[in-house]
Amino acid sequence: MLDWNTLLWHGALLALLFAGVVLLVARRAPRLFLVRGEVPPDIFAAAAPLNAAEQAQSTRVMGVLMAILVGGTLYSTYTFAQHSGVGYGVLFLHALLIQLSITTFDLIFIDWLVLNTLTPAWSVFAGTEGLPGYKEYSFHAKVHLKLLPRQLLGAAAIAGIALLLARLV
């Protein structure tokens, strides 16, 4: 059986950590998020491309965000497996719900509220001011929907690893 307290607590903490890193980086170096497929096409086409240093920094930032998403989900699922003794199916569901907590919070809070609704000046790339992509809510929803198959596979792998680790330790 799922432990809803752990799910809510870990999901909220990881979502806030993920969003905090995104906002911190976005405030200091928003161009690091100028990645094809992550930014509406009109904005991506109008913005100056990332230089080599920005590309390297962007890759590091994405690595940190993936570490929070994958590592945090693995930690949460492993600790749940250790204390609960549940099987693979429940661990899979736990891992999936943790990932969905993080990415859904990112969609609603970062993408829709901050970027689409508020659109602070620091989030607008030079030369792209006023483009319709900044108000295109459906773009971000589609990006998140495209992540779902990867999240399903990731949750499956994480559940298996957590179950194996819990049984070995």
Side-chain angles (χ1 to χ4, degrees), residues 19-54:
V21 170
V22 168
L23 288 174
L24 179 69
V25 171
R27 288 281 294 145
R28 293 176 177 236
R31 286 182 42 79
L32 300 184
F33 291 108
L34 187 60
V35 176
R36 182 182 304 279
E38 299 290 324
V39 176
D42 61 335
I43 296 169
F44 187 81
L50 297 179
N51 61 39
E54 288 172 324

Side-chain angles (χ1 to χ4, degrees), residues 81-94:
Q82 273 190 317
H83 297 98
S84 67
V86 298
Y88 178 81
V90 175
L91 292 177
F92 167 77
L93 189 56
H94 177 93

Side-chain angles (χ1 to χ4, degrees), residues 19 23 104-115:
L23 288 174
T104 301
F105 187 80
D106 175 64
L107 173 64
I108 294 169
F109 180 72
I110 302 292
D111 296 339
W112 285 347
L113 177 63
V114 176
L115 298 178

Side-chain angles (χ1 to χ4, degrees), residues 122-160:
W122 52 262
S123 72
V124 177
F125 303 117
T128 66
E129 298 84 356
L131 289 178
Y134 285 108
K135 301 300 179 190
E136 193 177 327
Y137 292 82
S138 65
F139 173 81
H140 296 288
K142 290 173 189 172
V143 168
H144 281 266
L145 279 175
K146 287 179 187 175
L147 290 175
L148 194 54
R150 285 188 229 160
Q151 288 177 309
L152 290 166
L153 290 173
I158 288 169

